[in-house]
Amino acid sequence: MDFEFSEQQRMVRDMVRAFAAERLRPGAGARDASGEFPADIFRELGELGLLGMMTPEAYGGAGTETLAYLLAIEEIARADASVAVGVSVTNSVCQWPIAHFGSEELKGRVLPPLARGEVLGGIMLTEPGAGSDLASLRTTYRRDGDRFLLSGSKVWITNAGIGAFFVVLATRDTALGAKGISAFVLDARQPGVLVQPREKKMGLRSSVTAAVMLEDAVVPAANLLGSEGEGMKVALATLDHSRLGIAAQAIGVAQAALDEALTYAKQREQFGRPIIEHEAVGFRLADMDAELEAARWLTYRAAWLSQHPGRLSRTSAQAKLVASETVNRIVAAAVQVHGGYGYSREFAVERLYRDARVTTIYEGTSEVQRMVIARALRTMATTATD
Ligand SMILES: Cc1cc2nc3c(=O)[nH]c(=O)nc-3n(C[C@H](O)[C@H](O)[C@H](O)COP(=O)(O)OP(=O)(O)OC[C@H]3O[C@@H](n4cnc5c(N)ncnc54)[C@H](O)[C@@H]3O)c2cc1C
Protein backbone atom coordinates (compact mmCIF):
# COMPACT_ATOMS: atom_id res chain seq x y z
CA MET A 1 0.00 0.00 0.00
CA ASP A 2 1.37 3.38 -1.03
CA PHE A 3 -0.24 6.71 -0.11
CA GLU A 4 2.23 8.83 -2.11
CA PHE A 5 0.99 10.73 -5.14
CA SER A 6 2.71 9.94 -8.43
CA GLU A 7 4.82 12.57 -10.17
CA GLN A 8 1.96 13.28 -12.59
CA GLN A 9 -0.67 13.54 -9.84
CA ARG A 10 1.45 16.00 -7.87
CA MET A 11 2.19 18.05 -10.99
CA VAL A 12 -1.50 18.29 -11.93
CA ARG A 13 -2.53 19.20 -8.37
CA ASP A 14 0.12 21.91 -8.01
CA MET A 15 -0.58 23.39 -11.44
CA VAL A 16 -4.36 23.54 -10.85
CA ARG A 17 -3.91 24.82 -7.29
CA ALA A 18 -1.79 27.73 -8.58
CA PHE A 19 -4.21 28.50 -11.42
CA ALA A 20 -7.20 28.36 -9.04
CA ALA A 21 -5.57 30.70 -6.53
CA GLU A 22 -4.70 33.23 -9.21
CA ARG A 23 -7.62 33.01 -11.66
CA LEU A 24 -10.59 31.39 -9.91
CA ARG A 25 -10.73 32.35 -6.24
CA PRO A 26 -10.52 36.17 -6.65
CA GLY A 27 -13.70 36.41 -8.80
CA ALA A 28 -15.73 33.54 -7.32
CA GLY A 29 -17.87 35.78 -5.09
CA ALA A 30 -18.57 38.25 -7.89
CA ARG A 31 -19.55 35.46 -10.31
CA ASP A 32 -21.85 34.00 -7.66
CA ALA A 33 -23.53 37.40 -7.35
CA SER A 34 -23.84 38.08 -11.10
CA GLY A 35 -24.48 34.49 -12.23
CA GLU A 36 -22.40 35.19 -15.32
CA PHE A 37 -20.90 32.12 -17.02
CA PRO A 38 -17.11 32.67 -17.20
CA ALA A 39 -16.40 31.79 -20.86
CA ASP A 40 -12.90 33.31 -20.65
CA ILE A 41 -11.96 31.05 -17.74
CA PHE A 42 -13.17 27.98 -19.62
CA ARG A 43 -11.00 29.01 -22.57
CA GLU A 44 -7.99 29.09 -20.25
CA LEU A 45 -8.94 25.75 -18.68
CA GLY A 46 -9.03 24.30 -22.21
CA GLU A 47 -5.57 25.66 -22.97
CA LEU A 48 -4.28 24.03 -19.77
CA GLY A 49 -5.63 20.65 -20.93
CA LEU A 50 -8.20 20.47 -18.11
CA LEU A 51 -11.27 20.01 -20.32
CA GLY A 52 -10.25 16.63 -21.75
CA MET A 53 -8.26 15.17 -18.91
CA MET A 54 -9.18 11.48 -19.11
CA THR A 55 -9.74 11.42 -22.87
CA PRO A 56 -6.92 9.46 -24.57
CA GLU A 57 -4.14 11.48 -26.17
CA ALA A 58 -5.01 9.91 -29.54
CA TYR A 59 -8.24 11.96 -29.46
CA GLY A 60 -6.69 15.21 -28.28
CA GLY A 61 -7.04 14.62 -24.52
CA ALA A 62 -4.47 14.53 -21.74
CA GLY A 63 -4.94 10.80 -21.06
CA THR A 64 -4.61 11.14 -17.28
CA GLU A 65 -5.92 8.52 -14.89
CA THR A 66 -8.86 9.09 -12.57
CA LEU A 67 -7.02 10.33 -9.46
CA ALA A 68 -5.18 13.12 -11.28
CA TYR A 69 -8.55 14.22 -12.66
CA LEU A 70 -10.11 14.17 -9.16
CA LEU A 71 -7.25 16.23 -7.75
CA ALA A 72 -7.90 18.85 -10.44
CA ILE A 73 -11.64 18.94 -9.67
CA GLU A 74 -10.91 19.21 -5.94
CA GLU A 75 -8.61 22.21 -6.43
CA ILE A 76 -11.03 23.93 -8.81
CA ALA A 77 -13.98 23.37 -6.42
CA ARG A 78 -11.93 24.68 -3.51
CA ALA A 79 -11.78 28.00 -5.38
CA ASP A 80 -15.11 28.01 -7.29
CA ALA A 81 -17.56 25.08 -7.26
CA SER A 82 -19.56 26.59 -10.15
CA VAL A 83 -16.55 26.23 -12.44
CA ALA A 84 -15.84 22.74 -11.07
CA VAL A 85 -19.25 21.40 -12.10
CA GLY A 86 -18.84 22.65 -15.68
CA VAL A 87 -15.39 21.07 -15.88
CA SER A 88 -16.57 17.80 -14.39
CA VAL A 89 -19.59 17.52 -16.69
CA THR A 90 -17.67 17.96 -19.96
CA ASN A 91 -14.91 15.59 -18.80
CA SER A 92 -16.77 12.82 -17.09
CA VAL A 93 -20.39 12.48 -18.18
CA CYS A 94 -19.75 13.50 -21.78
CA GLN A 95 -16.26 12.53 -22.96
CA TRP A 96 -15.84 9.49 -20.71
CA PRO A 97 -18.84 7.53 -22.11
CA ILE A 98 -17.96 8.57 -25.67
CA ALA A 99 -14.38 7.33 -25.17
CA HIS A 100 -15.64 4.04 -23.67
CA PHE A 101 -18.72 3.26 -25.78
CA GLY A 102 -18.32 5.23 -29.04
CA SER A 103 -17.13 3.85 -32.39
CA GLU A 104 -13.67 4.84 -33.63
CA GLU A 105 -15.26 7.13 -36.19
CA LEU A 106 -17.44 8.90 -33.57
CA LYS A 107 -14.52 9.29 -31.17
CA GLY A 108 -12.31 10.74 -33.91
CA ARG A 109 -15.05 13.19 -34.89
CA VAL A 110 -16.35 14.57 -31.57
CA LEU A 111 -13.67 14.00 -28.92
CA PRO A 112 -10.86 16.26 -30.25
CA PRO A 113 -12.85 19.54 -30.16
CA LEU A 114 -14.26 18.59 -26.72
CA ALA A 115 -10.90 17.53 -25.31
CA ARG A 116 -9.18 20.69 -26.54
CA GLY A 117 -11.94 22.75 -24.90
CA GLU A 118 -13.03 24.33 -28.20
CA VAL A 119 -16.56 23.20 -27.32
CA LEU A 120 -18.11 21.98 -24.05
CA GLY A 121 -20.20 18.89 -23.46
CA GLY A 122 -22.83 17.57 -21.09
CA ILE A 123 -25.41 14.89 -20.50
CA MET A 124 -29.20 14.80 -20.79
CA LEU A 125 -30.65 12.11 -18.55
CA THR A 126 -33.15 13.75 -16.20
CA GLU A 127 -36.75 14.43 -17.25
CA PRO A 128 -39.72 16.01 -15.45
CA GLY A 129 -41.03 12.54 -14.49
CA ALA A 130 -37.71 10.63 -14.41
CA GLY A 131 -34.98 11.60 -11.96
CA SER A 132 -33.79 8.85 -9.63
CA ASP A 133 -35.92 6.39 -11.61
CA LEU A 134 -34.12 6.93 -14.89
CA ALA A 135 -35.62 3.85 -16.57
CA SER A 136 -39.04 5.56 -16.56
CA LEU A 137 -37.87 8.25 -19.00
CA ARG A 138 -40.23 9.22 -21.85
CA THR A 139 -38.02 10.94 -24.43
CA THR A 140 -38.43 8.80 -27.53
CA TYR A 141 -36.33 8.07 -30.61
CA ARG A 142 -37.26 6.68 -33.99
CA ARG A 143 -35.13 5.60 -36.90
CA ASP A 144 -35.31 7.61 -40.10
CA GLY A 145 -32.89 6.14 -42.70
CA ASP A 146 -29.34 6.71 -41.52
CA ARG A 147 -30.35 8.90 -38.61
CA PHE A 148 -32.42 8.92 -35.42
CA LEU A 149 -34.99 11.56 -34.48
CA LEU A 150 -35.34 12.36 -30.74
CA SER A 151 -38.35 14.03 -29.10
CA GLY A 152 -39.11 14.81 -25.46
CA SER A 153 -38.13 17.07 -22.62
CA LYS A 154 -35.03 17.00 -20.45
CA VAL A 155 -34.59 19.09 -17.31
CA TRP A 156 -31.73 20.34 -15.14
CA ILE A 157 -29.17 20.13 -17.94
CA THR A 158 -25.78 21.58 -16.98
CA ASN A 159 -24.08 23.51 -19.82
CA ALA A 160 -27.39 23.71 -21.77
CA GLY A 161 -27.12 26.45 -24.38
CA ILE A 162 -23.35 26.59 -23.86
CA GLY A 163 -22.25 23.06 -24.75
CA ALA A 164 -22.14 21.52 -28.22
CA PHE A 165 -22.25 17.75 -27.63
CA PHE A 166 -24.53 15.99 -25.15
CA VAL A 167 -24.96 12.34 -24.30
CA VAL A 168 -28.73 11.75 -24.40
CA LEU A 169 -30.83 8.83 -23.21
CA ALA A 170 -34.07 8.07 -25.10
CA THR A 171 -36.40 5.10 -25.51
CA ARG A 172 -37.66 3.30 -28.62
CA ASP A 173 -40.87 2.38 -26.82
CA THR A 174 -41.74 3.20 -23.19
CA ALA A 175 -43.45 -0.21 -22.89
CA LEU A 176 -40.01 -1.88 -23.20
CA GLY A 177 -38.76 -0.36 -19.90
CA ALA A 178 -34.97 -0.27 -19.44
CA LYS A 179 -34.45 -2.56 -22.47
CA GLY A 180 -35.90 0.06 -24.83
CA ILE A 181 -33.39 2.76 -23.85
CA SER A 182 -30.40 3.76 -25.99
CA ALA A 183 -27.67 6.37 -25.58
CA PHE A 184 -26.75 8.87 -28.28
CA VAL A 185 -24.39 11.78 -28.84
CA LEU A 186 -26.46 14.80 -29.80
CA ASP A 187 -25.08 17.93 -31.42
CA ALA A 188 -27.18 20.54 -29.61
CA ARG A 189 -26.45 23.25 -32.19
CA GLN A 190 -29.54 22.51 -34.33
CA PRO A 191 -33.14 23.80 -34.62
CA GLY A 192 -34.71 20.72 -32.98
CA VAL A 193 -32.95 21.48 -29.67
CA LEU A 194 -34.81 24.22 -27.77
CA VAL A 195 -33.02 25.47 -24.65
CA GLN A 196 -35.35 26.96 -22.03
CA PRO A 197 -34.54 29.91 -19.69
CA ARG A 198 -31.85 29.28 -17.05
CA GLU A 199 -32.86 27.86 -13.67
CA LYS A 200 -32.53 30.29 -10.77
CA LYS A 201 -30.47 28.16 -8.41
CA MET A 202 -29.60 28.30 -4.70
CA GLY A 203 -25.91 27.80 -5.43
CA LEU A 204 -23.51 27.05 -8.31
CA ARG A 205 -24.89 30.27 -9.68
CA SER A 206 -22.42 30.87 -12.51
CA SER A 207 -22.92 27.34 -13.83
CA VAL A 208 -25.67 27.27 -16.46
CA THR A 209 -28.56 24.83 -15.88
CA ALA A 210 -31.70 24.71 -18.04
CA ALA A 211 -34.44 22.47 -19.40
CA VAL A 212 -34.19 21.41 -23.04
CA MET A 213 -36.99 20.43 -25.40
CA LEU A 214 -36.14 18.02 -28.19
CA GLU A 215 -38.39 18.23 -31.26
CA ASP A 216 -37.27 15.66 -33.82
CA ALA A 217 -33.67 16.49 -32.95
CA VAL A 218 -31.43 14.79 -35.52
CA VAL A 219 -28.76 12.32 -34.46
CA PRO A 220 -26.69 10.51 -37.14
CA ALA A 221 -26.93 6.70 -36.75
CA ALA A 222 -23.15 6.67 -36.19
CA ASN A 223 -23.66 8.65 -32.95
CA LEU A 224 -25.11 5.68 -31.05
CA LEU A 225 -23.14 4.72 -27.91
CA GLY A 226 -22.85 0.93 -27.55
CA SER A 227 -25.68 -0.95 -29.27
CA GLU A 228 -29.37 -0.14 -29.39
CA GLY A 229 -30.96 -1.04 -26.04
CA GLU A 230 -27.71 -0.54 -24.09
CA GLY A 231 -28.50 3.00 -22.92
CA MET A 232 -28.96 2.10 -19.25
CA LYS A 233 -25.72 0.13 -19.26
CA VAL A 234 -23.88 3.16 -20.69
CA ALA A 235 -25.53 5.53 -18.19
CA LEU A 236 -24.89 3.38 -15.12
CA ALA A 237 -21.25 2.72 -16.02
CA THR A 238 -20.78 6.44 -16.62
CA LEU A 239 -22.37 7.41 -13.30
CA ASP A 240 -20.35 4.78 -11.38
CA HIS A 241 -17.26 6.61 -12.57
CA SER A 242 -18.46 10.22 -12.77
CA ARG A 243 -19.85 10.42 -9.25
CA LEU A 244 -16.25 10.33 -8.04
CA GLY A 245 -15.97 13.81 -9.57
CA ILE A 246 -18.86 14.97 -7.38
CA ALA A 247 -17.12 13.46 -4.35
CA ALA A 248 -13.98 15.42 -5.32
CA GLN A 249 -16.06 18.56 -5.76
CA ALA A 250 -17.50 18.05 -2.25
CA ILE A 251 -14.01 17.58 -0.82
CA GLY A 252 -12.78 20.79 -2.47
CA VAL A 253 -15.69 22.82 -1.06
CA ALA A 254 -15.20 21.22 2.37
CA GLN A 255 -11.48 22.11 2.29
CA ALA A 256 -12.33 25.71 1.46
CA ALA A 257 -14.85 25.84 4.33
CA LEU A 258 -12.33 24.39 6.79
CA ASP A 259 -9.67 26.86 5.59
CA GLU A 260 -12.07 29.78 6.09
CA ALA A 261 -13.23 28.57 9.52
CA LEU A 262 -9.66 28.02 10.72
CA THR A 263 -8.50 31.47 9.65
CA TYR A 264 -11.53 33.11 11.25
CA ALA A 265 -11.29 31.14 14.50
CA LYS A 266 -7.67 32.23 14.95
CA GLN A 267 -8.50 35.92 14.38
CA ARG A 268 -11.82 36.38 16.12
CA GLU A 269 -11.55 37.04 19.84
CA GLN A 270 -14.31 36.59 22.41
CA PHE A 271 -14.00 36.33 26.19
CA GLY A 272 -10.44 37.64 25.90
CA ARG A 273 -8.93 35.06 23.54
CA PRO A 274 -9.15 33.72 19.97
CA ILE A 275 -12.29 31.58 19.68
CA ILE A 276 -10.18 28.58 18.49
CA GLU A 277 -8.92 28.39 22.09
CA HIS A 278 -12.45 27.75 23.35
CA GLU A 279 -12.71 23.99 23.46
CA ALA A 280 -16.11 23.80 21.75
CA VAL A 281 -14.77 25.69 18.72
CA GLY A 282 -11.47 23.77 18.67
CA PHE A 283 -13.31 20.44 18.85
CA ARG A 284 -15.68 21.51 16.09
CA LEU A 285 -12.68 22.26 13.86
CA ALA A 286 -11.10 18.93 14.86
CA ASP A 287 -14.23 17.04 13.75
CA MET A 288 -14.29 18.95 10.45
CA ASP A 289 -10.63 18.10 9.83
CA ALA A 290 -11.03 14.39 10.67
CA GLU A 291 -14.22 13.92 8.66
CA LEU A 292 -12.77 15.69 5.64
CA GLU A 293 -9.69 13.48 5.70
CA ALA A 294 -11.86 10.32 5.91
CA ALA A 295 -13.98 11.40 2.92
CA ARG A 296 -10.89 12.38 0.94
CA TRP A 297 -9.06 9.07 1.32
CA LEU A 298 -12.19 7.01 0.64
CA THR A 299 -12.53 8.95 -2.61
CA TYR A 300 -8.87 8.51 -3.55
CA ARG A 301 -9.14 4.77 -2.93
CA ALA A 302 -12.22 4.63 -5.14
CA ALA A 303 -10.18 6.38 -7.83
CA TRP A 304 -7.57 3.63 -7.53
CA LEU A 305 -10.31 0.98 -7.76
CA SER A 306 -11.67 2.61 -10.91
CA GLN A 307 -8.62 1.22 -12.74
CA HIS A 308 -9.94 -2.27 -11.87
CA PRO A 309 -13.13 -2.92 -13.88
CA GLY A 310 -16.11 -4.43 -12.09
CA ARG A 311 -15.14 -3.37 -8.57
CA LEU A 312 -16.10 0.27 -8.63
CA SER A 313 -19.87 0.55 -8.15
CA ARG A 314 -20.13 0.10 -4.36
CA THR A 315 -16.98 2.08 -3.55
CA SER A 316 -17.80 5.05 -5.78
CA ALA A 317 -21.30 5.19 -4.24
CA GLN A 318 -19.71 5.09 -0.76
CA ALA A 319 -17.32 7.91 -1.68
CA LYS A 320 -20.07 10.09 -3.15
CA LEU A 321 -22.39 9.43 -0.22
CA VAL A 322 -19.78 10.09 2.45
CA ALA A 323 -18.13 13.10 0.75
CA SER A 324 -21.41 14.86 -0.05
CA GLU A 325 -22.95 14.29 3.38
CA THR A 326 -19.65 15.32 5.00
CA VAL A 327 -19.33 18.59 3.08
CA ASN A 328 -22.83 19.56 4.15
CA ARG A 329 -21.90 19.03 7.81
CA ILE A 330 -18.62 20.90 7.33
CA VAL A 331 -20.09 23.98 5.63
CA ALA A 332 -22.78 24.19 8.33
CA ALA A 333 -20.06 24.00 11.01
CA ALA A 334 -17.99 26.65 9.19
CA VAL A 335 -20.96 29.04 9.20
CA GLN A 336 -21.41 28.37 12.93
CA VAL A 337 -17.75 29.15 13.63
CA HIS A 338 -18.25 32.51 11.88
CA GLY A 339 -21.27 33.39 14.06
CA GLY A 340 -23.41 36.16 12.55
CA TYR A 341 -20.73 36.94 9.95
CA GLY A 342 -21.20 33.46 8.48
CA TYR A 343 -24.70 34.54 7.53
CA SER A 344 -23.39 37.49 5.51
CA ARG A 345 -22.55 37.52 1.81
CA GLU A 346 -19.36 39.35 2.80
CA PHE A 347 -17.87 36.02 3.91
CA ALA A 348 -17.08 33.12 1.59
CA VAL A 349 -18.66 30.49 3.86
CA GLU A 350 -22.13 31.78 2.96
CA ARG A 351 -21.50 30.85 -0.72
CA LEU A 352 -19.82 27.57 0.22
CA TYR A 353 -22.88 26.64 2.30
CA ARG A 354 -25.14 27.10 -0.74
CA ASP A 355 -22.73 25.50 -3.25
CA ALA A 356 -22.34 22.36 -1.13
CA ARG A 357 -26.06 21.63 -0.89
CA VAL A 358 -26.50 20.09 -4.33
CA THR A 359 -23.81 17.45 -3.91
CA THR A 360 -26.20 15.08 -2.09
CA ILE A 361 -28.68 15.52 -4.96
CA TYR A 362 -27.12 15.38 -8.42
CA GLU A 363 -25.51 12.39 -10.16
CA GLY A 364 -27.65 10.27 -7.82
CA THR A 365 -29.11 11.43 -4.50
CA SER A 366 -27.75 10.07 -1.22
CA GLU A 367 -30.71 7.69 -1.17
CA VAL A 368 -29.73 6.38 -4.61
CA GLN A 369 -26.13 5.86 -3.41
CA ARG A 370 -27.48 3.83 -0.50
CA MET A 371 -29.54 1.78 -2.97
CA VAL A 372 -26.38 1.05 -5.02
CA ILE A 373 -24.44 0.04 -1.89
CA ALA A 374 -27.31 -2.07 -0.51
CA ARG A 375 -27.65 -3.87 -3.87
CA ALA A 376 -23.94 -4.75 -3.76
CA LEU A 377 -24.23 -5.92 -0.15
CA ARG A 378 -26.99 -8.37 -1.09
CA THR A 379 -24.46 -10.40 -3.10
CA MET A 380 -21.61 -10.23 -0.56
CA ALA A 381 -20.95 -12.73 2.21
CA THR A 382 -18.64 -10.31 4.04
CA THR A 383 -17.42 -6.74 3.62
CA ALA A 384 -14.02 -7.52 5.12
CA THR A 385 -11.23 -6.12 2.92
CA ASP A 386 -9.56 -8.79 0.80
C1 LIG B 1 -27.65 21.98 -10.27
C2 LIG B 1 -28.10 20.70 -10.91
C3 LIG B 1 -27.48 20.25 -12.06
C4 LIG B 1 -27.91 19.08 -12.69
N1 LIG B 1 -27.31 18.70 -13.88
C5 LIG B 1 -27.83 17.64 -14.56
C6 LIG B 1 -27.32 17.30 -15.87
O1 LIG B 1 -26.39 17.93 -16.40
N2 LIG B 1 -27.91 16.28 -16.53
C7 LIG B 1 -28.93 15.56 -16.01
O2 LIG B 1 -29.42 14.64 -16.67
N3 LIG B 1 -29.43 15.85 -14.77
C8 LIG B 1 -28.90 16.86 -14.04
N4 LIG B 1 -29.40 17.19 -12.80
C9 LIG B 1 -30.54 16.43 -12.28
C10 LIG B 1 -30.19 15.54 -11.09
O3 LIG B 1 -29.34 14.49 -11.46
C11 LIG B 1 -31.51 15.08 -10.47
O4 LIG B 1 -32.10 16.21 -9.85
C12 LIG B 1 -31.34 13.94 -9.48
O5 LIG B 1 -30.96 12.76 -10.14
C13 LIG B 1 -32.63 13.65 -8.67
O6 LIG B 1 -33.72 13.55 -9.50
P1 LIG B 1 -35.05 14.40 -9.18
O7 LIG B 1 -34.65 15.80 -8.99
O8 LIG B 1 -36.07 14.09 -10.21
O9 LIG B 1 -35.53 13.87 -7.77
P2 LIG B 1 -36.47 12.51 -7.41
O10 LIG B 1 -35.88 11.39 -8.15
O11 LIG B 1 -37.87 12.94 -7.72
O12 LIG B 1 -36.22 12.39 -5.90
C14 LIG B 1 -36.90 13.17 -4.91
C15 LIG B 1 -36.53 12.61 -3.55
O13 LIG B 1 -37.03 11.27 -3.43
C16 LIG B 1 -35.97 10.38 -3.10
N5 LIG B 1 -36.22 9.08 -3.73
C17 LIG B 1 -36.57 8.81 -5.02
N6 LIG B 1 -36.70 7.50 -5.20
C18 LIG B 1 -36.39 6.90 -4.03
C19 LIG B 1 -36.34 5.54 -3.57
N7 LIG B 1 -36.60 4.50 -4.38
N8 LIG B 1 -36.00 5.31 -2.28
C20 LIG B 1 -35.72 6.34 -1.44
N9 LIG B 1 -35.75 7.64 -1.81
C21 LIG B 1 -36.09 7.92 -3.09
C22 LIG B 1 -34.73 11.05 -3.66
O14 LIG B 1 -33.55 10.55 -3.04
C23 LIG B 1 -35.01 12.51 -3.34
O15 LIG B 1 -34.69 12.77 -2.00
C24 LIG B 1 -28.96 18.34 -12.13
C25 LIG B 1 -29.58 18.78 -10.96
C26 LIG B 1 -29.19 19.94 -10.35
C27 LIG B 1 -29.90 20.41 -9.11
Side-chain angles (χ1 to χ4, degrees):
M1 188 179 284
D2 182 0
F3 289 101
E4 289 295 324
F5 291 125
S6 70
E7 187 80 15
Q8 188 203 38
Q9 289 156 357
R10 195 177 294 280
M11 214 180 68
V12 168
R13 189 200 58 188
D14 293 349
M15 184 265 283
V16 180
R17 184 174 285 176
F19 175 79
E22 191 189 327
R23 289 289 291 127
L24 302 182
R25 191 165 305 121
R31 287 191 294 276
D32 173 62
S34 71
E36 194 183 329
F37 176 78
D40 51 339
I41 282 176
F42 274 82
R43 250 190 311 278
E44 291 177 51
L45 290 164
E47 285 160 14
L48 290 172
L50 297 173
L51 298 182
M53 288 192 74
M54 293 174 294
T55 295
E57 286 169 287
Y59 305 108
T64 53
E65 37 69 59
T66 307
L67 183 52
Y69 162 71
L70 296 186
L71 293 171
I73 294 292
E74 185 181 323
E75 292 299 331
I76 295 170
R78 189 176 168 190
D80 187 342
S82 289
V83 173
V85 66
V87 173
S88 113
V89 161
T90 195
N91 270 290
S92 73
V93 284
C94 184
Q95 290 173 61
W96 191 91
I98 297 172
H100 283 78
F101 297 100
S103 66
E104 279 307 314
E105 186 277 328
L106 176 64
K107 290 193 274 194
R109 183 156 44 87
V110 304
L111 284 178
L114 282 164
R116 289 194 295 260
E118 291 158 14
V119 296
L120 291 177
I123 194 163
M124 299 186 186
L125 304 176
T126 311
E127 300 186 0
S132 303
D133 181 14
L134 203 50
S136 67
L137 63 82
R138 306 194 72 79
T139 294
T140 56
Y141 75 88
R142 61 192 163 88
R143 184 114 195 184
D144 177 37
D146 60 356
R147 58 192 201 158
F148 295 102
L149 300 175
L150 274 56
S151 294
S153 49
K154 297 288 183 180
V155 292
W156 291 111
I157 305 308
T158 303
N159 289 345
I162 286 177
F165 295 113
F166 288 79
V167 171
V168 185
L169 244 57
T171 178
R172 183 158 64 87
D173 179 352
T174 52
L176 294 173
K179 290 195 181 75
I181 296 174
S182 299
F184 307 88
V185 178
L186 169 78
D187 187 334
R189 299 163 295 181
Q190 57 167 299
V193 176
L194 302 158
V195 178
Q196 306 302 300
R198 278 174 71 167
E199 298 292 343
K200 296 185 174 69
K201 304 196 298 293
M202 173 194 292
L204 302 183
R205 295 198 62 258
S206 76
S207 160
V208 176
T209 320
V212 178
M213 308 286 293
L214 303 178
E215 291 181 1
D216 279 344
V218 178
V219 172
N223 285 23
L224 186 67
L225 292 178
S227 309
E228 256 190 277
E230 286 189 340
M232 284 301 285
K233 182 180 125 186
V234 171
L236 295 178
T238 301
L239 291 168
D240 269 352
H241 191 269
S242 71
R243 55 177 54 115
L244 293 176
I246 307 302
Q249 201 185 104
I251 290 163
V253 174
Q255 183 66 63
L258 178 56
D259 293 344
E260 295 290 335
L262 202 52
T263 305
Y264 189 81
K266 286 177 185 168
Q267 287 167 356
R268 174 72 172 170
E269 291 192 5
Q270 287 293 278
F271 298 96
R273 49 194 168 128
I275 59 171
I276 194 168
E277 291 178 20
H278 297 299
E279 192 175 76
V281 177
F283 277 18
R284 192 186 291 278
L285 289 162
D287 282 343
M288 292 160 77
D289 180 49
E291 287 192 32
L292 170 56
E293 211 58 5
R296 171 177 278 132
W297 287 98
L298 179 59
T299 302
Y300 292 175
R301 178 169 178 274
W304 175 79
L305 270 179
S306 74
Q307 319 293 124
H308 300 75
R311 295 180 60 193
L312 182 61
S313 201
R314 167 173 157 256
T315 315
S316 74
Q318 287 173 336
K320 205 264 185 184
L321 174 66
V322 169
S324 62
E325 295 289 340
T326 298
V327 70
N328 276 283
R329 281 195 299 277
I330 288 178
V331 290
V335 168
Q336 193 68 20
V337 167
H338 280 70
Y341 299 95
Y343 203 62
S344 160
R345 297 220 159 168
E346 293 295 309
F347 285 77
V349 285
E350 185 271 343
R351 169 172 52 84
L352 299 172
Y353 185 83
R354 289 182 286 105
D355 283 350
R357 188 62 193 87
V358 73
T359 59
T360 64
I361 296 171
Y362 61 16
E363 296 198 24
T365 64
S366 286
E367 291 72 30
V368 166
Q369 307 312 321
R370 291 186 181 101
M371 283 158 65
V372 172
I373 298 166
R375 198 179 310 129
L377 292 178
R378 286 202 288 273
T379 64
M380 296 170 75
T382 175
T383 61
T385 309
D386 57 16

